[in-house]
Amino acid sequence: MPTFIMRRFIEVNLILATLSLIGSNSSVFINVAFSSDFQSPRTAALGGAGHAGPVLNDAIYLNPSFTAFLQSYGLAINYIRALRPAPHPHYNLSVLDGRSELFQAGVGYTRREHNNFIHIGAAKSFVKRIGVGLGGKFGTFQDGTPLAKDMTASLTLIPIAWVQAAIIVDNILSEDVGKRLGWEREFILGTKVNLMKLILAYADPHWAPDLDEGAWGFEGGLELALFSDFFLRGGLFRSAHVPFLNGRGSGYGFGAGWMAPRLAVDYAFSSAASGVIGTSHAFGLTVYF
């Protein structure tokens, strides 16, 4: 019975989120998709890396096409506390349906200091080891007034069991109002290598052609599996979008996570030392089955 209730809860939230987007702006459903405008503790600890193999609900923000390989339901709650330049919290809630036979989908809501985001999208694996994904994001002011919208498309390849790769085109529309939120058009190549299930290495170079400076950037991280359910993470980022600061910068992140059979608990510390400057703590709880 608990599993049945959770399934119905996820399906209802997906429907309500889609309807809210359509009701707010009829053109949004046609024109919008995903972006990494929110980083969970897992992503932040890896320096923003993980596009080729996002864990659980992280696929909603990093790479929607990977949802096709998750094969699980997920409910995630995240809290980010920015310490500098001024203390302010971010809240995030997301649900994921990776078991649907027709297509796999997820939706996330993020409340920031001055605006809110809703992300939705869908993925499908038409050929074994290849997934494609599309989705949408919609930004509003705190009072619900529409702010911006944009698109993302992605492709995930798993050529062999221990290597994964992804190609993501983010912020396809790249409208002027969206650029104020850091939504510049960006091309991302995500890679992940699993070394004997002990060390997971991520390298995600990216290119933002509309930027005069810092067009080329990089996010990379390592994940160490100390036990089957406990992970240590660390990463670096250069000229990358820093969601909790709403700008581009360079810095590092580190953290840890515990992954039980149906529960994941994660923490991360992130620091941007050049470009935009600031630090944050992130905490996350994900229930999945």
Side-chain angles (χ1 to χ4, degrees), residues 77-101:
I77 302 173
N78 296 282
Y79 171 77
I80 293 101
R81 179 70 175 176
L83 304 180
R84 292 188 295 134
H88 60 273
H90 292 174
Y91 305 93
N92 172 266
L93 173 68
S94 64
V95 291
L96 179 77
D97 180 359
R99 291 191 177 184
S100 173
E101 295 182 2

Side-chain angles (χ1 to χ4, degrees), residues 6-78:
M6 182 64 76
R7 289 180 182 177
R8 299 289 80 78
F9 176 79
I10 290 174
E11 291 171 358
V12 168
N13 275 275
L14 287 171
I15 294 171
L16 289 177
T18 302
L19 291 176
S20 68
L21 282 177
I22 298 173
S24 299
N25 186 333
S26 61
S27 66
V28 169
F29 187 72
I30 299 174
N31 292 330
V32 296
F34 286 117
S35 174
S36 55
D37 306 297
F38 169 80
Q39 292 180 351
S40 76
R42 291 181 292 264
T43 304
L46 292 169
H51 292 81
V55 177
L56 300 171
N57 294 35
D58 294 354
I60 296 173
Y61 311 99
L62 295 180
N63 173 10
S65 66
F66 196 77
T67 309
F69 302 106
L70 293 175
Q71 299 297 305
S72 65
Y73 298 104
L75 171 64
I77 302 173
N78 296 282

Side-chain angles (χ1 to χ4, degrees), residues 17-286:
T18 302
L19 291 176
S20 68
L21 282 177
I22 298 173
S24 299
N25 186 333
S26 61
S27 66
V28 169
F29 187 72
I30 299 174
N31 292 330
V32 296
F34 286 117
S35 174
S36 55
D37 306 297
F38 169 80
Q39 292 180 351
S40 76
R42 291 181 292 264
T43 304
L46 292 169
H51 292 81
V55 177
L56 300 171
N57 294 35
D58 294 354
I60 296 173
Y61 311 99
L62 295 180
N63 173 10
S65 66
F66 196 77
T67 309
F69 302 106
L70 293 175
Q71 299 297 305
S72 65
Y73 298 104
L75 171 64
I77 302 173
N78 296 282
Y79 171 77
I80 293 101
R81 179 70 175 176
L83 304 180
R84 292 188 295 134
H88 60 273
H90 292 174
Y91 305 93
N92 172 266
L93 173 68
S94 64
V95 291
L96 179 77
D97 180 359
R99 291 191 177 184
S100 173
E101 295 182 2
L102 181 61
F103 59 86
Q104 296 72 48
V107 56
Y109 170 79
T110 305
R111 183 176 181 86
R112 308 204 308 188
E113 185 179 13
H114 301 297
N115 47 60
N116 307 318
F117 293 136
I118 295 177
H119 294 77
I120 64 173
K124 183 69 176 178
S125 179
F126 296 99
V127 180
K128 187 177 181 180
R129 296 182 180 270
I130 299 178
V132 295
L134 291 173
K137 64 180 174 181
F138 178 52
T140 70
F141 292 106
Q142 292 290 24
D143 63 0
T145 304
L147 176 60
K149 59 185 183 294
D150 217 310
M151 295 185 66
T152 292
S154 66
L155 173 71
T156 296
L157 307 173
I158 307 179
I160 52 180
W162 54 278
V163 174
Q164 297 170 198
I167 301 172
I168 301 122
V169 183
D170 194 13
N171 300 317
I172 295 174
L173 298 179
S174 192
E175 298 175 335
D176 289 340
V177 65
K179 289 181 179 180
R180 298 172 192 170
L181 299 174
W183 294 356
E184 291 90 1
R185 184 178 295 114
E186 192 166 36
F187 299 85
I188 304 164
L189 173 62
T191 60
K192 174 183 177 180
V193 177
N194 188 333
L195 302 175
M196 301 178 65
K197 297 183 179 181
L198 296 175
I199 299 176
L200 308 176
Y202 304 84
D204 299 355
H206 48 81
W207 176 50
D210 295 336
L211 296 178
D212 294 332
E213 298 180 2
W216 288 95
F218 179 82
E219 296 160 313
L222 291 175
E223 189 170 35
L224 176 63
L226 295 182
F227 306 100
S228 61
D229 58 355
F230 186 76
F231 301 87
L232 292 180
R233 306 178 179 108
L236 301 171
F237 56 91
R238 178 182 177 278
S239 297
H241 182 62
V242 185
F244 75 92
L245 294 173
N246 193 32
R248 288 189 173 262
S250 301
Y252 64 91
F254 62 84
W258 174 63
M259 200 164 189
R262 294 191 178 187
L263 179 70
V265 180
D266 298 280
Y267 163 78
F269 174 81
S270 182
S271 176
S274 64
V276 292
I277 297 176
T279 59
S280 72
H281 293 284
F283 305 87
L285 175 68
T286 304

